[in-house]
Every structure is written in C-alpha cells, then in structure tokens.
Amino acid sequence: MAKKPTSIFICQNCHARYPKWTGRCDQCGEWNSLEEEASTPTPSKAQPGKRGTGLKTTRLDGTAAPPPRLNTSMAELNRVLGGGLVPGSVVLVGGDPGIGKSTLMLQMTCALAKAHHNVLYVSGEEAIDQIRLRAQRLELDKDPKALDQLDLAASINVNDIATTLEENRSLHVVVIDSIQTMWLESVASAPGSVSQVRNCAFELIRLAKTLGFALILIGHVTKEGALAGPRVLEHMVDAVLYFEGDRGHQFRILRAAKNRFGATDEIGVFAMTDTGLREVPNPSALFLAERHGNIAGSAVFAGLEGTRPILLEVQVLLSAKSSDGAPRRAVLGWDSSRLSMILAVLEARCGLKLGSMDVHLNITGGLKINEPAADLAVAAALISAATGQPTAPHEAYFGEIGLSGEVRQVSQTAVRLKEISKLGFKQAVIPRHVGTATARPKGPATLTIAETGHLSDLVRRFSPAAGS
Ligand code: TYD
Ligand code: MG
C-alpha cells in the first residue's frame, strides 16, 4: 500500500523539525516560525536488485588546469570572485535590502554583455520598466553594444524560467533577483519559505550544472545576519558573497564568505553614487576621508565579523561632568561595562584619571561590536582624547586588555593584519607575542608591527605629558 504523504513543520529560523505545529520553537525560542512542508520519504534501504555502476577512480597526482574565468570588468568584483566568474559556477550574493545588490549585478551583467557574453537577468522583485529606469540612471542604456546580448525577464515561476533556459542553450550567465521571490508550483508553501527557496535553488543549480552557465542568486539577509531562512543555500553554492555597508554611508564592502574558486579573505570596496556603484581601488582614502582627518579621540580598530575582518573607527569624546550624579557613559555600538573596566584599568594602572568625566563612545558606521579585541582601540581613543594627541595616522589597533593592564593576544592576528594592510594602513599596534605555541605574527611587508605588552606602553606612545 502506498504511504500517505505526510507533512512536517520546520522552524524558519533554526530549521528544527517537528511532527506537529506549535506556536514556539523549542530549539531557538522563536514565536510563530514553524511552516508546514511535505516530508520527503527517506529511502530506508537500497532497493534489492537495483545496483549502481562502479565509479572510475583516479589518482591524486596529475594535471589540473585552473578554471577559466569570465572577466566582469570590475577589478574589485573579480578579486572577490577569485579572479573572475567561473563558467558553470553558482554564486550567492547576499545583503540587506536596499544595499545595492541589484545595482551591482545589473552593472556586472551589462559589462559581461559588452564583452560578448550572453546574459539573462530574471527579476522577481521589479517590473521590466523599473529595471529600465535603473539602467537609465546608471547610463547603461547608452551603450548599444551592451544591450545586444543582455536579455531581461520578470518572473517568479521557476518552471517557466527552467523552460526558457532549456530552450536557450547559448547563455553564459544567468542572474536571479532574488531567490526569495522564486516559486515552484510543486512545493506547497509561500515564496521565501525554507522549502521553496531550497527547491527553487536546487532546480536552478541543476540547470546551471547541466547547461553550463554561471548562475548568480541574489538573496536578502535578515537583521540577524543570516540569509533569510535558507542558510542551507550556503552549502549548495560554490561561492557566497556578502554585500555590506551602512545605508547612511556611501561605501559598500563585498566579501567572500565562501569561495570554492578563490580565497575567502578578499574584499571589494565600492561607493554608491548617483550614477551607480563606483569601484574604490584605494579604500583607505575613502575611509580616512570619512574620519575627518586624524583628530584626537579617534582610533581605528581591526575587528572580525564572524570570520570576516572589518576595520572600524572608535570615537571618544570626553567632557567635564555635566550633572551632580554619576558621570555619563553614552556608548553606541559597544558594551558599556567593558568601557567602565577600561576606564578603571587606565586609572589604576596608568594613573589616567577619567572617572569623573562624561564619556561618549561611538563606533562609526552603525555597527555593534562585542569583541574584547576592541579594548586596545578603545583605550587608544580614550588616551588620545585625554591627552589631546591624535593617534598616529595610518595606525590601527587590536588587542584585549586584562585587569592588571596587560595586553592579551586575540585570535586571527594574520587576518586582521592583512585587512589593515589592504585598507592602506601602515602600522598595527597589537598584543606582544608570548609563548611558543604560535609563530610570531608577521604581517604583509608594507606593514610595521608595534607589539605592546602593557597599557602603560600605549600611554607612552602618545606624549611625554600623557597621564599627568
Ligand atoms: P538596489 O540595488 O535596489 O538594492 P538591493 O537590490 O540590494 O535591494 O539599490 C537600492 C538603493 O541604491 C536605493 O536606495 C537607491 C540607491 N541607488 C543609488 O544611490 N544610486 C544609483 O545609481 C542606484 C541605481 C541606486
Ligand atoms: Mg534588489
């Protein structure tokens, strides 16, 4: 007797599975996050009589040609991809809504079309007219050469898209904007749900692998930083690129979180202008321009977001206590108890008396950091504000501070040093290397490294008068 199809309920947040619907996921505590999905029967045993064919195995040594690459004409994008787009590969481009993913991909598709590659851009979010308007704004419509080989379509139906792709076998690159809007009739849930996203992506990836075009899937990221719902997508694709930045600011950073064809610690920097995204070959210039010069109370911190390095500016403003009560500690983007600790350590171990002053601390770019590695940059900004001495230009900091004022080592030193150097900084102030378990950190050749064992060494870097 054929088994009745059953359904299961999957939490859209943590992917926990339940046989029955409940209002709250027991695993992650999220309310109302369960969605029904048809359960796929798990094959219990290999079917008797049905044997597979033996695999032809091969040796590890032998020649392997590097994959061919499509040049996107954008050096920053090429670098993040590992040297260009690999034909037949699948790339997921994630980022917050409105950050510029569609803009970046439209610019890329036009450049590829101009280089005589056949490109199809499928939008499930915008009508054709809206894409045309954007292209006009980007002045892409002025280039007849680019238009010949670029096809547009507005659809969310994956079956229709699949038929189109099978009929048009000369395509080199296909962009799907966005995977969350795609819909397969055979899957009984709404677009954007885990099962729709997974099945649509699976179908599109299968087509890309059989027909040999490069597939770009655009995906939105939730506030928590996970690709909405389908974290499972990350395992299905060859590369995951994140497009990030603060919408109030001009600059955007493209990072590879995963790349089967290149390194994952490369970044590409762009600036959003009136006429689209411009590449920023020298990001430190942009970054320093944002810093309004090297003023007292500002220090650059080399942090990590997950496994990804990011440079941030820590700003401190000190003022005389404004009220009779306790001094103000206004902290944006960092932990206020950690600030109190650093103030206490600076006072107890270095004699820098800031306890009676109002302290305003801000991490620029609207980011929130919770790494102890930011301690050294915060201390540098505080000492700089207290002494009126700016930190040295082109200097960045990272390191954890202990209660006796010692500067402790943090993880991923090499990644941070590479990022500091990549963004054009010349000097890194980092914890003193101790022990023999790890090698002494060595950054890129252009970077000078100043190892600091104690906070008082940091105070001494500012001025002889510091601390008085
Ligand atoms: P978009 O590419 O639509 O973002 P996403 O696809 O990631 O949701 O970009 C939207 C934002 O970019 C929008 O707020 C306007 C801005 N923008 C510019 O500043 N200049 C431009 O030339 C374009 C096309 C967009
Ligand atoms: Mg978009």
Side-chain angles (χ1 to χ4, degrees), residues 95-104 125-126 134 137-138 177 218 220 243 247 252 272-277:
D96 285 327
I99 206 72
K101 301 180 294 298
S102 303
T103 308
L104 180 69
E125 304 210 326
E126 289 158 313
R134 176 182 288 131
R137 189 166 164 189
L138 302 175
D177 186 3
I218 296 180
H220 294 300
F243 204 37
R247 260 199 281 169
R252 306 276 184 272
M272 181 60 97
T273 68
D274 287 349
T275 52
L277 288 158

Side-chain angles (χ1 to χ4, degrees), residues 72-86:
T72 65
S73 305
M74 293 168 129
E76 296 291 305
L77 180 58
N78 281 346
R79 172 150 20 83
V80 179
L81 285 166
L85 193 58
V86 176

Side-chain angles (χ1 to χ4, degrees), residues 210-222:
T210 48
L211 302 178
F213 57 81
L215 174 67
I216 307 213
L217 302 172
I218 296 180
H220 294 300
V221 170
T222 59

Side-chain angles (χ1 to χ4, degrees), residues 12 32 36 39 42 44 84 115 121 144 163 175 179 187 202 214 221 259 264 285 289 298 318 325 347 357 388 393:
Q12 305 292 297
N32 218 3
E36 188 171 0
S39 73
T42 40
S44 48
Y121 189 105
T163 310
V175 177
I179 189 64
V187 180
F202 185 78
V221 170
N259 194 352
T264 50
S298 144
L318 297 175
E347 181 157 345
M357 300 191 89

Side-chain angles (χ1 to χ4, degrees), residues 77 80 104 241-243 252-256 266-268 270:
L77 180 58
V80 179
L104 180 69
L241 311 184
Y242 282 99
F243 204 37
R252 306 276 184 272
I253 295 185
L254 186 71
R255 293 171 190 280
E266 289 294 1
I267 63 167
F270 297 86

Side-chain angles (χ1 to χ4, degrees), residues 122-311:
V122 184
S123 179
E125 304 210 326
E126 289 158 313
I128 297 293
D129 281 348
Q130 275 174 292
I131 305 174
R132 282 210 183 104
L133 283 175
R134 176 182 288 131
Q136 273 168 23
R137 189 166 164 189
L138 302 175
E139 297 179 354
L140 296 171
D141 58 332
K142 301 245 166 68
D143 197 341
K145 246 184 22 201
L147 304 179
D148 283 349
Q149 281 173 285
L150 171 58
D151 287 329
L152 296 179
S155 173
I156 61 164
N157 190 326
V158 174
N159 287 331
D160 294 352
I161 297 171
T163 310
T164 316
L165 294 175
E166 271 161 353
E167 281 170 1
N168 182 0
R169 288 174 175 253
S170 62
L171 283 170
H172 299 120
V173 180
V174 176
V175 177
I176 302 289
D177 186 3
S178 65
I179 189 64
Q180 272 109 352
T181 57
M182 292 297 137
W183 178 75
L184 260 177
E185 218 175 321
S186 54
V187 180
S189 56
S193 64
V194 172
S195 47
Q196 275 292 0
V197 167
R198 191 173 42 202
N199 286 293
C200 292
F202 185 78
E203 176 62 9
L204 292 163
I205 292 169
R206 188 187 64 78
L207 285 163
K209 298 292 174 193
T210 48
L211 302 178
F213 57 81
L215 174 67
I216 307 213
L217 302 172
I218 296 180
H220 294 300
V221 170
T222 59
K223 272 202 291 288
E224 292 74 35
L227 279 173
R231 219 173 291 160
V232 62
L233 267 190
E234 297 198 0
H235 308 295
M236 296 163 70
V237 300
D238 298 310
V240 180
L241 311 184
Y242 282 99
F243 204 37
E244 329 172 315
D246 186 53
R247 260 199 281 169
H249 286 92
Q250 200 192 17
F251 68 89
R252 306 276 184 272
I253 295 185
L254 186 71
R255 293 171 190 280
K258 160 180 175 177
N259 194 352
R260 286 190 184 141
F261 303 109
T264 50
D265 48 5
E266 289 294 1
I267 63 167
V269 183
F270 297 86
M272 181 60 97
T273 68
D274 287 349
T275 52
L277 288 158
R278 293 263 171 282
E279 293 179 69
V280 181
N282 181 6
S284 67
L286 187 76
F287 193 77
L288 291 177
E290 292 241 324
R291 285 181 72 205
H292 288 289
N294 203 36
I295 52 159
S298 144
V300 176
F301 164 54
L304 280 181
E305 290 274 307
T307 57
R308 294 169 287 161
I310 184 160
L311 290 200

